[in-house]
Amino acid sequence: MTEPLPDLLIEPVVRAALAEDLGRAGDVTAMACIDADARLSVAFVARKPGVAAGLACARLALVALDPEARFETLVADGAPLAAGSVLARAQGNARAILSAERTGLNLLGRLCGVATLTRSYVDAVEGTGARIVDTRKTTPGLRHLEKYAVRCGGGVNHRFGLDDAILIKDNHIAACGGVAEAVRRARAFAGHLMKVEVEVDGLDQLEDALRHGPDVVMLDNFSLEDLRTAVAAAKGRAVLEASGGVNLESVRAIAETGVDVISVGALTHSAAALDIGLDAV
């Protein structure tokens, strides 16, 4: 299973989401209808099949409003879920549980959705040796959680942000004067621990890039034939990443060309939230 994120990294997101929901006066419905000392027991239930991710978000949302609440996790992040699976049970102050409900479910459903879609891509390329990776097309403020959910689904993280790897895209190339010059400059700039990746949009740019020793070459929107040609031409001199227009119908054929990595923006920008409900028990 995926190594869980520390609560320290999750709490600020959860507290910001709670503050947004509670607004200026708190949960007026709960205060109007429920006794201050009422207790409630609930279960978090998957309405559809999927993959678990982000249970800590639900737990932290609840304990932020009721530090004495009990939260029992029944499945680990990364575990497969059937429709009707109970992910967790909780007991605590009724007002707190109902006030934290939407924040906890929003985050939990979002992350389970990312993990579920990722698992679909990972399963689609099983046995090819290609790895499915994410991109920076994430929800602002949720990147570390969404990339964690990708790992829960069996995917691999691409760079986290602009500061942890050099990735030369087409606009960098245009501004700098060519693929070869861009890679040469990047190599001169990079420290010994920093990877250099360059995007190419055709086979004519591939050899120019490879001559200057990038660690990774991104093959952007290549046809299947051109991907196979690129794999043969590179001869292992760089990791090859296929990118652009990847979907569940095309990903297997892309993987079978021999590329090492397939980046899929849809993992985080188009994943539908998994339907998870909170049921009183």
Side-chain angles (χ1 to χ4, degrees), residues 34-40 62 65-66 68-69 91-99:
I34 300 171
D35 291 340
D37 59 355
R39 307 287 293 175
L40 187 65
L62 175 55
L65 300 185
D66 179 8
E68 303 302 317
Q91 296 178 333
N93 179 271
R95 287 185 181 180
I97 288 175
L98 296 177
S99 297

Side-chain angles (χ1 to χ4, degrees), residues 35-262:
D35 291 340
D37 59 355
R39 307 287 293 175
L40 187 65
S41 297
V42 296
F44 292 82
V45 182
R47 307 294 192 214
K48 294 183 177 181
V51 176
L55 282 154
C57 296
R59 172 175 55 81
L60 291 170
L62 175 55
V63 300
L65 300 185
D66 179 8
E68 303 302 317
R70 293 175 55 193
F71 190 98
E72 181 187 8
T73 300
L74 300 179
V75 299
D77 283 349
L81 303 171
S85 292
V86 178
L87 286 74
R89 299 185 186 276
Q91 296 178 333
N93 179 271
R95 287 185 181 180
I97 288 175
L98 296 177
S99 297
E101 174 182 358
R102 181 44 50 199
T103 291
L105 289 177
N106 281 349
L107 290 168
L108 179 58
R110 170 67 182 153
L111 299 185
C112 286
V114 171
T116 299
L117 183 59
T118 301
R119 182 66 56 80
S120 296
Y121 276 89
V122 170
D123 288 347
V125 302
E126 184 177 5
T128 65
R131 294 186 295 174
I132 298 296
V133 305
D134 54 28
T135 70
R136 286 168 44 244
K137 296 176 182 178
T138 54
T139 308
L142 295 184
R143 180 170 294 172
H144 63 297
L145 294 179
E146 291 177 347
K147 282 183 171 282
Y148 168 71
V150 167
R151 299 197 300 275
C152 290
V156 177
N157 294 149
H158 209 286
R159 62 175 179 163
F160 188 87
L162 294 171
D163 62 339
D164 59 349
I166 295 174
L167 202 173
I168 305 163
K169 303 280 280 183
D170 54 352
N171 287 332
H172 298 105
I173 292 167
C176 150
V179 169
E181 179 63 10
V183 178
R184 186 193 66 77
R185 292 186 188 186
R187 270 290 168 220
F189 177 90
H192 69 290
L193 294 180
M194 184 167 285
K195 298 284 189 178
V196 175
E197 178 171 7
V198 61
E199 174 188 272
V200 299
D201 57 16
L203 292 169
D204 56 330
Q205 292 182 323
L206 178 61
E207 191 56 41
D208 281 346
L210 289 171
R211 276 200 302 269
H212 293 273
D215 299 291
V216 186
V217 178
M218 180 187 293
L219 309 171
D220 185 45
N221 283 296
F222 274 41
S223 67
L224 293 177
E225 181 180 355
D226 283 352
L227 287 173
R228 285 188 286 268
T229 301
V231 169
K235 296 183 176 66
R237 287 181 285 169
V239 171
L240 295 184
E241 173 185 337
S243 180
V246 181
N247 56 52
L248 280 170
E249 288 69 43
S250 65
V251 70
R252 177 79 189 187
I254 292 171
E256 288 174 344
T257 66
V259 294
D260 303 291
V261 174
I262 303 172

